[in-house]
Amino acid sequence: MRYIPNTEEQKKEMLKEIGVSSFDDLIKEGVPQSIRLKGKLNIPEARSETELEEKIYNIAQKNSNFYLMKPLIGAGAYRHYIPEAEKFLLQREEFWTCYTPYQPELSQGTLQSIFEYQSYISRLIKMEAVIPSIYDGASATAEAALMSLRLTHKNKIMVSNLVHPHYRETVKTYLAPHEPEIIELPYKNGLVDLEKLKILINEDVASVIIQNPNFFGGIEKLAEISEIVHSKDALLIMVIAESISLGVLKAPGDIGADIVTGNAQSFGMDLNYGGPYNAYLATKKEYIRQLPGRIIGETTDVDGKRVFVMTLRAREQDIRRERATSNICTNHNLNVIAADIFLSLIGTKGLYQISLLNTKSAHYLENLLLKSKKFEKIFDYPFYNEFLLKSKEDIATINKKLLENNFVPPLKICEFYKEENLKNVLLFAVTEVLSRDNLNKVAKILSE
Amino acid sequence: MKLIFEKSIKDRDGYSLPGDLFKEIKIEDCLPEYAISKKKKLLSEVSEVDVVRHFTKLSKLNYGLDDGFYPLGSCTMKYNPKINEKLASLNNFTYAHPLAPEETVQGSLEIIYDLNKLLCEITAMDEYTMAPAAGAHGELTGNLIMRKYFVDRGDKRHKMLIPDSAHGTNPASAAMADFQVVEVKSNERGTVDLTELARLMDKDTVGLMLTNPNTVGLYDEGIKNIEKIVHHKGGLLYYDGANLNASLGIIRPGDAGFDVVHLNLHKTFSTPHGGGGPGAGVIGVKKDLIPYLPTPIVAFDSTHKKYYLLDLGSKSIGMVRAFWSNFPVLIKTYVWILSMGPDGLYNASETSIINANYVLAKLKKYYKPAYDRYCGHECTVTGKEYKKYGVKTLDIAKRLMDYGMHPPTIYFPHFEPYAEETIMVEPPESESKEMLDKFIEIMIKISNEAKTNPELLTTAPHNTPIRRTNDLVAAKRPILTYDDELKLKDELKYKDKNIDF
């Protein structure tokens, strides 16, 4: 076997050195014969590398040719252009094949990169302490909700209905054992219903979870929300599902967020049919002892050199066991390195430009579709790069046309929202991978 | 080494976008004034060349598995085959949107479906969820499944038994499921004390979380009795799969009576660790627990010959993440299993067990084993003999770096009186006898150094990119961003974090 260097002869020699006559002799004590597997595992016999390659290529052909298909769908997973330099650098085995950086002397590459990423995110969202890597936006939001319970010692959470449906589901799953009251905050005209928020909130609420831009793409009135939330001493948890939006939108830390969670998939991560992505979880320095997950800090080595280490470790599971702030251990560090490379490449100007372009192209497409008279607005709300339109035509027909023309269709919003007025409504998403020509083509196909 | 921020030069570009294609549209017409940032957010300004050199240089400060021996105990740092990486990065997979219509992702679904079948056979379980992103995430998922299972039966169990030798994630995960953690002491053979287990296992107890072989690398020989004790009181048995590399084709958790199993695909199944993820901590269950898995799972419609995502309905614990899985990790696992076949999997476990016992046999004169018996795929020895020379296990580990090797896991597990100053060595099947001989030779050399020149160890490492770090300062006065550092240095030129438009 090409991945196992020791030959049968060598194994025999080693067994002799160990002082046993056979492998069975070696394990008979630990694995009673009565529970040992009789016979071989019933799985296919080993294949050669060329046979395997052919097999997987053939399976891959059963997917559509997604490289050529431009997505009109986002909903928490966005296709952005990933510069080749990033993909190339990420192939380096030193990043890929190492373990969690427990030994800083042999891990400065990973540690420094994560520190840089924490620095970038801190600037983007204006929060002081950034946990660089929770698995994804949903689990990060659930961890933030748990953190708010610990910080406030209250047991009520309010969640906007316009937080990504999977994130809301995950919050419910994580919180279920603690039996908190979860209050759903309704929307009105595509944004959080501020009047309802005022009515529903009270001093018993630990935190209010708001996504911006929200799941419909809408841009929330965060300053007003923040005022209402804080007037009742609740914490404001802000969720970002599309982090590229930070290029043009105000930083959550500047508008009153206490905890921010953000899906960082847009920072240089492939769609990969849903993962691995990554999420940051950030807060103010006063709350750092309650943060879940790993964080990197700067210090010096014995020679006085600036170095980076895992720090504030006393919160973590391997030290505190059942009293840890979370069980999280292995996370998505390689995705953090990807994001650090991505943000370094696009830089100050690039982030602004991509964000601006996404905003404008989405509005361009909306305008074209409305002009076609085949679609109509259902809400009059400000949006970033995703928007809802009601189709006058049957959605199955639209999807067929789009797929034939190599576009991944937009999301049928009724898959997640059962309201009567949301039937036959589509959630479109636009990023820079759709050129102006692409958008004109979409409008043309859908007007016919 | 400089940070990327310290290489930044105003107006430098590392990226190209099409020009402004929508000049006629003004940003103010799209976004409300209250939302627009008045200032550009400052990242860094470097060229593509700068970035490539920066990260290439950073990578060289890391030590990876392809650089050499990496015997981290309970981490299974085995070789990551290159064909797996290539096949996981085919465009049809990497560009697939998670909410794309099912008919466009039949290939991806087929892999998830097939992998499920293979994992079920390898572990003797009935169904897997691919959702959990890491081992601890799987543990949480498993705990929530057990919790919901009992809640649905109106059974108010609230305690979880966990051996003192368990990974820290076990008690932390059980606590997240709001279970009260009860520690089970190990006996003098390093395994679960059956009398103690029988005393603790009662009608309020959910069950037992067990790693087998456990974290000192020892098989729990009493597994059949453990199973009887737990099931007899109506409890469930949870298998922490961190050490499955000692079991492939030898013993299957399902056959041993485990009800819930988590597998670290980034350990036993050869997918790379990525410096701390992404991995995958898939969870397998027995039939009765299938309805409680996170929703959805992949199913096959044999009438229409189509794979689809099946909603598990109201018994499911719900979702534990957005979307479905860490998909590329699943492809790599799938490819690995198919490249090994049944004989290859057995060979992997057999070789890793022989490797560990070989290291133990050769080292035990110099580093006393925590328990004097054969081990599984990893061995635990102790460096406590060297304390009298002023040398700690930490010093031995750091000295190994000077010889170009990654240290084993140290100070874990830690429980008295057996496991102190522990050194846990896991030499997986991908390490050759020559490599082990080299490691053994170096460890013996270090043991001599400890006696004759302890300072060489206490000041080690000497020839790594950096030397020992001051961790206390880092925790006491946290510098968590570059801006923290600048603030600390009180750099006046950096008064304003933002540039005006």
Side-chain angles (χ1 to χ4, degrees), chain A residues 49 352 412:
Chain A
E49 190 161 313
Y352 176 71
K412 278 185 284 185

Side-chain angles (χ1 to χ4, degrees), chain A residues 248-305:
Chain A
V248 290
L249 298 183
K250 277 186 182 157
D254 283 342
I255 343 174
D258 298 294
I259 305 174
V260 179
T261 62
N263 167 26
Q265 178 265 329
S266 289
F267 292 158
M269 289 161 223
D270 278 317
L271 289 170
N272 268 327
Y273 195 50
Y277 302 161
N278 181 47
Y280 46 86
L281 190 162
T283 193
K284 304 167 176 178
K285 269 203 173 153
E286 57 189 293
Y287 301 143
I288 56 179
R289 307 281 159 187
Q290 285 301 335
L291 278 169
R294 290 181 164 154
I295 196 162
I296 308 306
E298 182 184 313
T299 184
T300 48
D301 72 357
V302 289
D303 294 335
K305 217 190 254 181

Side-chain angles (χ1 to χ4, degrees), chain B residues 124-159:
Chain B
M125 301 308 284
D126 294 321
E127 184 76 42
Y128 269 86
T129 169
M130 304 297 174
H137 202 208
E139 290 176 27
L140 172 62
T141 305
N143 273 280
L144 293 174
I145 289 169
M146 293 186 274
R147 188 181 172 279
K148 188 95 195 293
Y149 171 82
F150 284 119
V151 167
D152 271 16
R153 277 159 181 69
D155 193 338
K156 291 195 168 59
R157 293 173 189 249
H158 63 275
K159 290 192 286 189

Side-chain angles (χ1 to χ4, degrees), chain A residues 23-126:
Chain A
F23 176 64
D24 286 344
D25 219 18
L26 183 59
I27 62 164
K28 68 175 182 217
E29 189 184 54
V31 186
Q33 195 57 37
S34 58
I35 50 165
R36 259 193 84 165
L37 179 67
K38 316 276 180 292
K40 285 207 292 189
L41 287 170
N42 183 21
I43 61 169
E45 290 298 328
R47 280 173 220 232
S48 69
E49 190 161 313
T50 111
E51 289 168 309
L52 262 174
E53 190 179 76
E54 194 181 326
K55 178 178 169 74
I56 305 296
Y57 267 84
N58 283 333
I59 297 178
Q61 293 314 308
K62 298 177 189 172
N63 273 9
S64 292
N65 187 341
F66 280 106
Y67 175 72
L68 293 178
M69 290 174 79
K70 300 287 179 78
L72 289 162
I73 189 169
Y78 304 89
R79 178 159 159 199
H80 288 285
Y81 182 71
I82 300 177
E84 203 50 43
E86 177 200 318
K87 294 198 163 184
F88 195 86
L89 286 165
L90 270 185
Q91 294 300 316
R92 293 197 65 96
E93 67 83 20
E94 296 90 338
F95 291 138
W96 258 114
T97 67
C98 55
Y99 200 72
T100 301
Y102 288 118
Q103 302 289 348
E105 295 90 341
L106 300 178
S107 326
Q108 284 300 298
T110 296
L111 289 163
Q112 177 169 333
S113 178
I114 300 173
F115 181 84
E116 289 178 355
Y117 178 73
Q118 288 171 193
S119 307
Y120 277 139
I121 299 298
S122 166
R123 286 180 173 187
L124 286 177
I125 61 175
K126 292 285 182 67

Side-chain angles (χ1 to χ4, degrees), chain B residues 65-125:
Chain B
L65 186 55
D66 291 354
D67 291 309
F69 198 44
Y70 216 126
L72 274 178
S74 274
C75 300
T76 314
M77 295 297 282
K78 67 169 72 174
Y79 174 67
N80 314 131
K82 304 312 167 197
I83 184 72
N84 301 4
E85 298 301 320
K86 181 187 167 183
L87 296 176
S89 59
L90 298 177
N91 285 345
N92 284 10
F93 294 136
T94 57
Y95 286 88
H97 192 282
L99 298 171
E102 269 164 9
E103 66 266 26
T104 65
V105 289
Q106 286 296 302
S108 301
L109 292 171
E110 180 177 330
I111 284 181
I112 298 174
Y113 186 85
D114 272 4
L115 177 61
N116 184 359
K117 296 277 173 265
L118 292 173
L119 294 177
C120 282
E121 166 63 19
I122 292 168
T123 57
M125 301 308 284

